[in-house]
Amino acid sequence: MARTSALLVLLTAIGLAAAPTPSEAPKLDWADLLPPEARVPAPIVDHTRIPTFDDLPHSAFVATVPELDGRMVKLPGFVVPLDMVGNKVTSFLLVPYFGACIHEPPPPPNQIVYVEFGDPVELSSMYHPVWVTGTLGTEAHTSELAYAGYTMLGEAVEKYQY
């Protein structure tokens, strides 16, 4: 058993092991998209207003995590549709909170993922969070709504379960 695990680790390290399927993709959260040097302590919360990304230094949100490039991952978020075919979406921005990119200012680049699907996918509602599974890339993408620091070739979208 230990030999099999060691062989799998070695094959994965040299890139010969099979990539995970969408159901096996590791779950990330939005903090995972921040490089270690960009992680800053949480700001002191002012309970008289809603905190925004503007409360944190913008320099903390420009860099991406190179180790995530080419990895199959699963990330939760909200959909901001960009390209539609009928009532299905072919590309969208995945953002960490509801209303991002529609209300100014948008989240910082490394907190926005541009997602593109080969075949259009149906979304039940853009008001509810989803899990998106796909291959993450560190190439930037610019749209009229926002600058995304990450891209993803989408494989699956599913309702987020609390």
Side-chain angles (χ1 to χ4, degrees):
M1 185 72 132
R3 288 180 108 187
T4 303
S5 296
L7 180 60
L8 183 57
V9 168
L10 176 64
L11 289 174
T12 302
I14 61 174
L16 296 177
T21 63
S23 63
E24 300 169 331
K27 292 180 179 178
L28 298 183
D29 66 29
W30 290 93
D32 295 325
L33 301 183
L34 296 172
E37 67 275 6
R39 294 182 185 181
V40 295
I44 296 173
V45 178
D46 175 359
H47 292 286
T48 62
R49 64 182 183 80
I50 297 173
T52 67
F53 278 108
D54 288 336
D55 296 333
L56 299 171
H58 283 278
S59 61
F61 298 106
V62 176
T64 58
V65 179
E67 295 81 15
L68 293 176
D69 193 33
R71 287 190 48 204
M72 173 80 70
V73 299
K74 188 173 187 176
L75 185 67
F78 290 87
V79 171
V80 179
L82 294 175
D83 296 309
M84 304 283 293
V85 174
N87 62 346
K88 295 183 178 184
V89 65
T90 57
S91 68
F92 57 83
L93 298 175
L94 186 67
V95 295
Y97 57 89
F98 178 76
C101 296
I102 294 170
H103 304 291
E104 291 292 325
N110 64 11
Q111 297 294 285
I112 302 174
V113 179
Y114 170 76
V115 182
E116 189 169 37
F117 281 85
D119 294 321
V121 293
E122 191 168 339
L123 298 173
S124 58
S125 170
M126 61 181 259
Y127 300 106
H128 300 288
V130 295
W131 282 106
V132 179
T133 305
T135 304
L136 196 63
T138 54
E139 309 84 34
H141 183 272
T142 302
S143 72
E144 60 188 49
L145 292 179
Y147 177 79
Y150 290 95
T151 58
M152 180 186 282
L153 179 57
E155 295 278 330
V157 176
E158 60 191 90
K159 182 179 177 181
Y160 183 88
Q161 298 294 324
Y162 293 95

